[in-house]
Amino acid sequence: MVVPYPAGGPNDLIARVPLVLSVNPALNVKSVSELIALAKAKPGQLQYASSGSGSATHLAAEAFKMQAGIDLQHIPYKGSSPAMNDVIAGHVQVVFDSLGSTMPFIQAGKLRGLAVTSAKRSPAEPGLPTISESGVPGYDISTWYGLWAPAGTPKAVVDQLSNEVHAILELPDVREQLTSRGIDPVGSSAADFLNYNASESTKWARIVKASGAKLD
């Protein structure tokens, strides 16, 4: 979908933040395909935790359910920390959460990471496969950061802001700081970001409609 380029509005896609599909280590699965097989053998019996109804972690799991053709029971929490704590404690088996939040628990052996939700592997953890390459082709979910300019901002100003953002994102120390936190720096033109925002809005709307998700 190509959206006409306006003055102002979306300015720059700064970075994407992939989520990680993780399970409690006591669950006898070591890959996405094994999780799908177990879920199909026990429809509706496995539970996943989210940071709340309508959150990105909720919708990422719902998209996974739909594309993998499985049934998982949703257990919403009031925030990421209590959701993660209950998965670590074994009260819930599955969780989707940001790479930066999840990796310390994976490294400590408190969670088993199965895959990242982005279309490509994350530079922060290249050993983790994507869900798409693990048996759910086309799955691609990330949260992201963008820079917006007020409507009516002259194109010359928008372009200058975009150029400055790109220069900053190319600084080695900035890229290292972002990547170490599980954030993948991007940088885009204003027009590309406008098109990306439109496609993301369509994708998330489709997931919300199909899942019936509602905000708490």
Side-chain angles (χ1 to χ4, degrees), residues 39-108:
K40 287 184 175 180
K42 298 181 176 182
Q45 295 182 45
L46 297 182
Q47 300 174 326
Y48 75 89
S50 81
S51 57
S53 293
S55 65
T57 59
H58 175 205
L59 297 180
E62 288 299 314
F64 176 66
K65 284 172 52 179
M66 288 186 285
Q67 290 184 236
I70 59 175
D71 182 19
L72 303 174
Q73 183 183 355
H74 179 212
I75 308 296
Y77 290 80
K78 294 186 181 299
S80 176
S81 294
M84 194 76 77
N85 288 340
D86 261 18
V87 177
I88 291 171
H91 303 309
V92 183
Q93 297 84 30
V94 182
V95 66
F96 285 76
D97 211 320
S98 68
L99 183 60
S101 298
T102 306
M103 287 315 301
F105 297 116
I106 293 175
Q107 293 163 354

Side-chain angles (χ1 to χ4, degrees), residues 1-8 10 190-191 194-195:
M1 178 179 182
V2 178
V3 180
Y5 174 83
L194 194 65
N195 292 329

Side-chain angles (χ1 to χ4, degrees), residues 1 3 193-206:
M1 178 179 182
V3 180
F193 183 30
L194 194 65
N195 292 329
Y196 179 78
N197 182 68
S199 70
E200 284 288 282
S201 295
T202 299
K203 177 172 69 179
W204 289 107
R206 185 173 62 249

Side-chain angles (χ1 to χ4, degrees), residues 5 10-13 162 166 187-195:
Y5 174 83
N11 185 41
D12 220 301
L13 177 60
S162 184
H166 292 177
S188 69
S189 69
D192 285 344
F193 183 30
L194 194 65
N195 292 329

